[in-house]
Amino acid sequence: MSAASSSTRVCVGQFAGAHGVRGLARLKPFTAVADDVVRYGPVESEDAARRFALELVGRAKGVLIVRVEGVGDRDAASALTGTRLYVARDRLPAPADGEFYFADLIGLSVAAPDGAPLGAIRAVQDFGAGTLLELTLADGSAVLVPFTETVVPAIDLARRSAVIALPAGLLDPAHPDGDAAQDEDAA
């Protein structure tokens, strides 16, 4: 990543392909209000090497249709596919109480409710069924946990820490057939 650190910038969307033949692009917004991704002003690529001025021209099936300044044909719009778009953190509104920007969660140290250290939050994922936190555990392994109040009862951004109540059995070793380990005394 460039000199612009991910803690000072927030990913607000990603180009998802071309729309038509005149250089319009499909943009998947990561903002609470989809249209806000174009309201924050110019956005930039993850490496901060490219800036994009966006104009909202329409919406289609979970994406925004945008005109990108300097992009005039389908090939140029297609070449943007997969580019994640960032804005400076200070251009975003402060989150409401109990809400967080995903970028603020990445890197938080994680402890169990009894205070035992578990590891750190590596990433925040959403595959469509709800938000998941990807944890890197102290032994280097990774695990996904649901980002719910039950599993994540406390987050302290000032201390850069979170409490995570791992679901029962999550870290149990699996048998070779993929089933969770079972007590050998069970009938």
Side-chain angles (χ1 to χ4, degrees), residues 26 44 62-64 81 119 152 166 175 178 184:
R26 296 165 43 87
E44 55 187 33
V63 297
L64 302 176
T81 301
V152 188
L166 294 175
H175 284 295
E184 292 189 22

Side-chain angles (χ1 to χ4, degrees), residues 143-156:
V143 65
L144 293 171
V145 297
F147 186 31
T148 64
E149 286 186 43
T150 301
V151 175
V152 188
I155 293 176
D156 188 337

Side-chain angles (χ1 to χ4, degrees), residues 72-112:
D73 62 47
R74 182 176 184 80
D75 291 340
S78 289
L80 298 173
T81 301
T83 302
R84 294 174 71 86
L85 305 172
Y86 290 78
V87 297
R89 175 72 158 76
D90 60 6
R91 291 190 358 221
L92 300 174
D97 285 341
E99 293 183 357
F100 308 94
Y101 286 116
F102 289 169
D104 293 340
L105 301 176
I106 297 170
L108 295 183
S109 64
V110 175

Side-chain angles (χ1 to χ4, degrees), residues 2 8 27 48 51 65 70 84 102 118 153-154 185:
S2 74
T8 61
L27 189 152
R51 288 180 63 92
I65 308 302
R84 294 174 71 86
F102 289 169
L118 294 173
D185 295 329

Side-chain angles (χ1 to χ4, degrees), residues 9 43-52 83-86:
R9 299 183 321 142
V43 294
E44 55 187 33
S45 60
E46 186 169 7
D47 63 4
R50 297 180 290 169
R51 288 180 63 92
F52 305 98
T83 302
R84 294 174 71 86
L85 305 172
Y86 290 78

